[in-house]
Amino acid sequence: MLDCTPDKPLTEGAHTTGKINPIKTCQPVGAMYAALGIHGCLPHSHGSQGCCSYHRMALSRHFHEPAMASTSSFTEGASVFGGAANLKTSIKNVFAIYDPEIIAVHTTCLSETIGDDIPTIIKQSEIPEGRYVIHANTPSYHGSHVTGFSNMCKGIVSYLAESDGGEKKERANIFPGFVNPGDMREIRRIVTEMGVPSIMYPDTTGVMDSPMRKTYEMYPRGGATIAEIKESGNSKLTLSLGAWSSDEAAATLQAKCGVPGVPLRIPIGVRATDDLIMAVKEGFGVDVPESLEVERGQVIDTLIDTHFQYEGKTVAVFGDPDILVPLTEFLITMGMIPKYVVTGTPGNKFEKTVNGMLEEAGIEGSRVKAEGDLFDLHQWIKEEPVDLLIGNTHGKYIARAEDIPLVRVGFPVFDRAVHPLMPIVGYRGCLRLIEMISNALLERRDRDSLDEDYELIL
Amino acid sequence: MTTDLNVDELLAPLPDKVRKNRSKHIVKKDPSGGSCPQIEANTRTVPGIITQRGCSYAGCKGVVVGPIKDMLTITHGPIGCAYYSWGTRRNKARADERTPPEQIYTAMCFSTDMQESDIVFGGEKKLAKMIDEAVEIFHPRAINICATCPIGLIGDDLSAVAKAAQERHGIPVIHYNCEGYKGVSQSAGHHIANNQIMERIIGTGTEKVDGKYVLNILGEYNIGGDTWEIERILGEIGYTVGSTLTGDSAYAKIKNMHRAHLNLVQCHRSINYIAEMMETKYGIPWLKVNFIGIDATIDTLREIARCFGDEDLIARTEHVIERELAAVTPEIERCRKVLKGRTAFAFVGGSRSHHYQFLLRNLGMEVVVAGYEFAHRDDYEGREVIPTIKSDADSKNIPELHVEPDPEEYRPPHLHLKMSKEKYDELAASGILNDYKGMYPDMVDGGIMIDDANHFETEELVEIFKPDLIFTGIKDKYVTHKMGLPSKQIHSYDYSGPYTCFRGAVTFAKDVAHSLSTPAWKMITPPWEQSGTGGD
């Protein structure tokens, strides 16, 4: 397994070009996922049909759900003469055949490179009364799938959010970041538990974790409605979760409708969840209910009860920056040593933020990298191994090659069941992470132990 | 089967232009016999339609060249294309006597990860540097370079970069101009890959391939281990498999493929070009085969033996058939009890929708609606229509290789098959060689063939035919489930397989039986919504 990866560390500068086993993919898949978080929305991929096919495939494999989206189906002609005709025809056909409330167009490398002017094309298109077409520019040669998610979130705000100029309502907007529907449900529950009404978007709950009913619904009952999104301009504040995935949308909403954004981390781990709760408490002057205090207490209790199972263990973490930042912080809280922290998404602030946390915790000798890949990570692990890997499904090859347990967190997780429905955010998410990490390490210990060391009682 | 489908009625809700276009892509099997009515295929998808099609790059890298285990394949472009074609088709590959584990790259993903500045200033230098680094780190035997959409637009000269790299490193560096927008589907990419494999790899080897009867298996991708099961059976009969194209295949073997005696073509669509070109260039005949289904496998094995006409081979073939059949029959019979009388749709691949009809028939099931995403007319109507297929603006973009008999390596087909000219002529007259009759003759009477089926039509057809199961890919899979219908992925088998030959038929039968009989299907309506005595 991955036997072609050299045993000895490469000399500095041996692998500097391109990506080998990437930890990122391209913008449109993020844009498509964000668009699916609007109720009645059909995402539309403006480019050749392979992109749309690949993105639907990736989303369906991760969520085990339909991921409907249409495409402009470019052939060579459109690539030469421009894709305006294809997009106009698409918009007309999509409304006529699939009857969505809104079409969310995103671009591909192809339409970006030929320079199609999407807003102008949309203006020239036939859009039925009361229906919407919005767009985001998502060239794949910039950023990552996280950037695409962020760009579509920003597009949703720019096109739809409105302020009536009146007094702001005692209500929170939640921009949940690039997380699973299970996480979105949990974030919303926490805010609701505190007695604060909220509007969340994108909201893929009910869409990418939709229940089995008797009939197929092309537009499942979940997602944020257009009315809700419009109304978000009248909310008192926006909880913007995840700097990479949500901050631009929050800044746009602040500029457009005067709703202040509170930048927060995605609430993974005790501290980041505490921060979310404090932001709601302070923003709305509400008390923290006993139910959340109980949940928090359970996490602290569990950390104390189980610390010896993982404390001092080294861990390599890889994935999206908005997940990695709070996750690394939680691993530090658990007493673990994040030895390697790698994201594929570009951006210097990632390294600065994570290095800052490590420094504060007095952890030395760790490697932190933005725009990295799994080949880098594998090389480092060969040089100095770790006890545990945390990241997406693609880590399973390194896990097997180096015989290290893998806890699956992030996007995509193709090869495990139920994953997108179960949250890793909030205090309940803390318990789940502790459960996954502890059990992975205990399983390994059981597997490796001699007969005489095989234990029954912990 | 007497469902009276009115295509106009089916498509009535579509806008005029779309309806007109789509009606040509749907053909009904006429119970009164006759040849296949013309079907429109390999033409562009209507913009806005939710199609299941992919692109040229997906066909070239994802399907054909990606699975070659000892070639390091670099995708030249932004990150996405390489990422999505990474490990998703379950093309299994393993080390063997020719290819050590450290030279197997199929679990790896290489992308030049082009950035905005590369789009503006060109990506040739970046590609050249990545090739240099890859050679230094991995020491591959050969390298593939696959282009993505922006490459053609910005005009990177892949051919020049590949040529220079080949000279620098002394290993073949083969480029594929398979930009996603070429053609109308994956099919263009298959053709582009076929051309390069034919021109740059096959025939470059000088090794003798041991074995009295050497076969190549073309268009077999070893999904879920399919190839290995085929090889096991062929090996037991006494054949040597020279190489597959491209499941578990190695550059080291592909280059000697011209030394085989007979080419077997499993997936006609993705590889027929190579079969035909090898016939012209080396005189190697080809046989369309199908290892999906027990009867289909038996027919195929007998036809292969017939091609060589060796009595021993024929006897061993019958012996292996008898033994394998005895081993699987009881289990197949058990599954048949559950599956008999059920109907299915099959919307997969460039041959699979045809192949699986044989296996399902063995299980007592019938495919009532079948379609391909990226087929051409000949996949439906048979190869005899090829001369009548008009090329349009989209298909003209794919270069045709001009192939001539190789002055050194060409041998007439009867010598390949080790028989007299007279005996060969007899065999040729029987029509089994170098031909494919398409899907139509094997469709059930009244059944529907539909090209590039889209979501709207699928929903309508489900309403009309009420199938018990849909065989499809991942994009359709969960849609189908929500319709209350079981589905099986026939691109990647839902982690299962192999599905080929005798043992594969059992695995498949059990999987399908489980899909249909999972208790959860009966639990969709909660008890509080059930009226009267309950149950739904």
Side-chain angles (χ1 to χ4, degrees), chain A residues 381-428:
Chain A
I381 290 171
K382 275 182 180 285
E383 198 177 344
E384 201 178 335
V386 287
D387 299 308
L388 184 71
L389 269 175
I390 303 180
N392 67 37
T393 285
H394 292 295
K396 76 188 284 181
Y397 287 84
I398 298 177
R400 183 173 164 114
E402 305 307 324
D403 196 20
I404 302 167
L406 168 68
V407 166
R408 285 164 177 79
V409 167
F411 176 85
V413 173
F414 290 143
D415 64 335
R416 286 297 180 268
V418 201
H419 195 271
L421 281 78
M422 307 302 276
I424 57 163
V425 298
Y427 301 127
R428 288 182 179 175

Side-chain angles (χ1 to χ4, degrees), chain A residues 77 202 331:
Chain A
L331 295 170

Side-chain angles (χ1 to χ4, degrees), chain A residues 16 19 21 49 71 76 98 210, chain B residues 48 109 111 133 184 397 482:
Chain A
T16 58
K19 293 284 177 287
N21 299 350
Q49 64 217 357
T71 161
E76 200 146 38
Y98 307 111
S210 74
Chain B
C109 170
S111 165
E133 290 182 3
V184 297
N397 297 328
K482 299 282 200 250

Side-chain angles (χ1 to χ4, degrees), chain A residues 204-215:
Chain A
T204 57
T205 66
V207 182
M208 298 313 282
D209 63 354
S210 74
M212 181 71 97
R213 293 195 164 100
K214 272 170 276 182
T215 49

Side-chain angles (χ1 to χ4, degrees), chain A residues 2-6 10 13-22 24-26 29 42 44 48-50 53-58 60-61 64-66 68-76 79 86 89-90 93-94 96-98 109-110 113-114 140-143 210-216 218 374-375 392 394 396-397 411-412 415, chain B residues 13-15 18 44-55 57-58 62 78-81 83-86 88 101-102 104-105 107-116 119 126 129-130 133 137-138 149-150 153-154 180-185 394 397 454-456 459 474-475 478-479 481-483 489 492 495 521 524-525 529:
Chain A
L2 301 189
D3 289 297
C4 56
T5 305
L10 296 172
H15 163 47
T16 58
T17 311
K19 293 284 177 287
I20 306 174
N21 299 350
K24 66 167 179 180
T25 183
C26 61
V29 77
L42 191 70
H44 180 84
S48 63
Q49 64 217 357
S53 179
Y54 273 146
H55 303 140
R56 293 179 62 204
M57 175 193 86
S60 275
R61 287 208 164 119
H64 303 156
E65 286 290 326
M68 292 316 243
S70 51
T71 161
S72 293
S73 288
F74 275 34
T75 54
E76 200 146 38
S79 312
N86 286 54
T89 309
S90 294
N93 285 338
V94 165
I97 303 168
Y98 307 111
C109 322
L110 179 49
T113 308
I114 63 177
S140 316
Y141 38 77
H142 178 76
S210 74
M212 181 71 97
R213 293 195 164 100
K214 272 170 276 182
T215 49
Y216 167 71
M218 186 151 171
L374 285 174
F375 181 75
N392 67 37
H394 292 295
K396 76 188 284 181
Y397 287 84
F411 176 85
D415 64 335
Chain B
L14 296 176
V18 182
R44 53 178 72 170
T45 301
V46 179
I49 289 281
I50 300 180
T51 171
Q52 313 300 351
R53 279 175 160 181
C55 62
Y57 167 84
I79 195 72
C81 307
Y83 185 89
Y84 302 112
S85 56
W86 178 23
T88 43
E102 63 273 17
I104 292 182
Y105 309 103
M108 307 288 283
C109 170
F110 300 87
S111 165
T112 51
D113 186 20
M114 288 177 85
Q115 299 298 304
E116 201 143 15
I119 300 294
K126 192 170 196 181
K129 184 141 193 283
M130 188 159 188
E133 290 182 3
I137 301 170
F138 298 99
C149 286
L153 297 177
I154 65 173
Y181 55 77
K182 289 219 171 127
V184 297
S185 69
D394 297 313
N397 297 328
N454 58 57
H455 176 74
F456 170 83
E459 271 201 76
I474 189 74
K475 296 187 292 289
Y478 301 107
V479 177
H481 284 183
K482 299 282 200 250
M483 289 174 178
Q489 282 192 79
S492 72
Y495 241 64
W521 289 118
I524 296 171
T525 307
E529 279 182 17

Side-chain angles (χ1 to χ4, degrees), chain B residues 28 101 124 139 155 168 200 273 325 428 431 528:
Chain B
K28 186 173 157 180
E124 291 178 10
H139 318 291
R168 270 200 311 283
R200 302 288 307 279
Y273 318 94
L325 201 54
W528 53 90

